[in-house]
Amino acid sequence: MGGGSVAAVTLKDVAARAEVSIKTVSNVIRGEPRMSEATRQRVLHAVKELGYRPNATARRLRTGRSGLIALAVPDLATPYFAELAQHVRASAEEFGLTVLIEETLGDAKEELRLATGFGASLLDGVILSPLRISLDDLAAAADDFPLALLGERSYEGDRIAADHVLIDNVAAARDVTSHLAGLGRTRIAAIGIKSHASATSRQRLEGFHVALHEAGLPFDPRLAPALDDFSRRSGLRAVHGLLELPAEARPDAIFCFSDMLAAGAQRALYEADLRIPEDVAVASIDGSEEGRYARPSLTTVVPDKAAIASLAVRCLANRIRAEQPLPFEVHVVPHRLDVRESTDGIRRRLPW
């Protein structure tokens, strides 16, 4: 039984469905900002309803752009980055962009390869969360290729021609530690100090120190073990080590620099028959869904991941479309402390 080919959906079809002009549809797909939100949503609904897909080959011949961008993160197994990737893909769709998700594993060569857009032959731009790439390589890549940077790496005042979207890690860590001190905890451990250079780790440690000083609590280096990474296993091992300290030196609260570390920490406390939070309170930074479903649910700083994604995509889209170099911007995204069972002990029922 033979079958005929199905005609591709065109801009004209989308325009007819949305009751707007073809130029308006084209502007929405290209991410042009100067139009009403109602019109943009009507066009996007028609695009989705009809299953319209831009002709990438034709667009590249016409504009010199492919409509492809990449999100490059260190570890897709980390709930934070997995959740962020979902937000980036949703934001990119509003600009008519397709996102390739790449995992760098913190390898400097891989970060450099992605920061230059595979030699600029495929991608229009990259949203990069850098860990190991050198400052010189990153600056050179940003001069030649559209980049938006994520994360908390400090560039020590050097100017890089790329937009940067981040949270205030010092303030976030201070909020967590102050919360624990406010509960009357006096021996607060910090898990997340990396054995190699890490701006995220340094900044969260700084916030930890600030909060301890404000609470009149001393810093005990025994309660701040060095780790290789932010994994669950590292959190487990770190807490096992803390529990080997003399009884009077053991922590009554633990600030973990990531939700994955906190998951390992909670498991170690469970294995030691210690109650959370009665014996040891636990809090973290990341705001992952994993922490909400933990037992007990995890008190954590929740960054606005939707805002991070939206700002990064918008900045990158503007840089891709720009006919002349744009000044770079640094965007600090809000965060909030979500107090849950691991510090206040109040049992909660999740909505379903």
Side-chain angles (χ1 to χ4, degrees):
M1 182 176 178
S5 61
V6 179
V9 178
T10 66
L11 285 178
K12 183 177 180 181
D13 297 326
V14 176
R17 179 62 62 90
E19 298 181 343
V20 296
S21 69
I22 293 176
K23 181 174 177 58
T24 296
V25 174
S26 179
N27 286 341
V28 170
I29 291 173
R30 292 202 312 270
E32 293 293 340
R34 293 185 295 275
M35 67 180 60
S36 73
E37 181 63 18
T39 298
R40 191 170 67 86
Q41 290 298 331
R42 193 161 72 247
V43 171
L44 290 174
H45 180 75
V47 166
K48 186 174 183 179
E49 189 177 38
L50 295 175
Y52 172 75
R53 293 291 181 269
N55 185 323
T57 301
R59 175 166 58 180
R60 191 164 183 84
L61 288 172
R62 184 176 66 254
T63 67
R65 300 194 293 265
S66 67
L68 295 175
I69 63 172
L71 170 66
V73 298
D75 184 5
L76 284 171
T78 302
Y80 174 85
F81 287 122
E83 293 169 17
L84 181 66
Q86 291 180 319
H87 289 293
V88 168
R89 293 185 68 172
S91 295
E93 186 175 332
E94 297 183 7
F95 286 87
L97 297 170
T98 299
V99 183
L100 305 178
I101 309 296
E102 296 284 344
E103 185 178 48
T104 66
L105 300 176
D107 180 79
K109 291 182 179 178
E110 184 67 4
E111 289 179 354
L112 178 59
R113 181 180 73 88
L114 288 161
T116 55
F118 308 138
S121 62
L122 174 63
L123 298 171
D124 289 338
V126 172
I127 299 171
L128 174 67
S129 179
L131 282 183
R132 303 288 174 79
I133 187 173
S134 72
L135 178 61
D136 289 341
D137 284 342
L138 189 58
D143 283 340
D144 297 330
F145 189 69
L147 284 178
L149 303 178
L150 301 178
E152 296 72 47
R153 178 166 181 169
S154 171
Y155 299 109
E156 300 175 353
D158 291 286
R159 299 174 67 84
I160 294 179
D163 300 296
H164 197 162
V165 183
L166 66 156
I167 69 167
D168 186 337
N169 265 296
V170 175
R174 177 185 177 187
D175 291 345
V176 176
T177 310
S178 295
H179 168 66
L180 293 170
L183 296 173
R185 310 292 171 141
T186 59
R187 295 196 55 76
I188 305 173
I191 296 179
I193 301 170
K194 288 192 174 182
S195 53
H196 60 270
S198 165
T200 299
S201 180
R202 291 196 305 271
Q203 291 172 11
R204 293 181 182 180
L205 179 61
E206 179 183 346
F208 175 71
H209 278 293
V210 169
L212 287 183
H213 177 73
E214 291 174 342
L217 297 175
F219 172 73
D220 185 343
R222 293 176 297 175
L223 298 181
L227 309 175
D228 291 330
D229 55 40
F230 280 7
S231 67
R232 298 176 184 88
R233 183 181 295 274
S234 288
L236 180 81
R237 289 174 172 172
V239 172
H240 279 317
L242 292 173
L243 296 180
E244 291 176 357
L245 292 171
E248 68 277 6
R250 294 173 193 163
D252 58 8
I254 301 173
F255 164 36
C256 299
F257 288 11
S258 78
D259 284 4
M260 289 182 70
L261 286 171
Q266 286 183 302
R267 178 67 194 186
L269 294 171
Y270 168 78
E271 292 175 356
D273 291 325
L274 292 172
R275 299 167 300 163
I276 304 171
E278 292 85 356
D279 298 319
V280 184
V282 179
S284 180
I285 295 178
D286 267 355
S288 67
E289 282 296 295
E290 177 178 300
R292 185 182 300 277
Y293 287 89
R295 181 182 176 190
S297 58
L298 178 65
T299 291
T300 181
V301 165
V302 183
D304 190 339
K305 290 187 277 291
I308 292 172
S310 178
L311 281 167
V313 171
R314 183 176 296 277
C315 287
L316 189 62
N318 289 341
R319 198 166 289 279
I320 290 169
R321 292 197 307 259
E323 296 181 359
Q324 296 181 352
L326 297 175
F328 79 91
E329 296 180 297
V330 176
H331 300 274
V332 180
V333 174
H335 65 267
R336 73 178 193 278
L337 179 65
D338 196 344
V339 177
R340 300 174 184 159
E341 297 163 348
S342 68
T343 60
D344 70 6
I346 299 174
R347 182 171 295 187
R348 293 167 172 80
R349 186 180 180 89
L350 291 176
W352 59 283

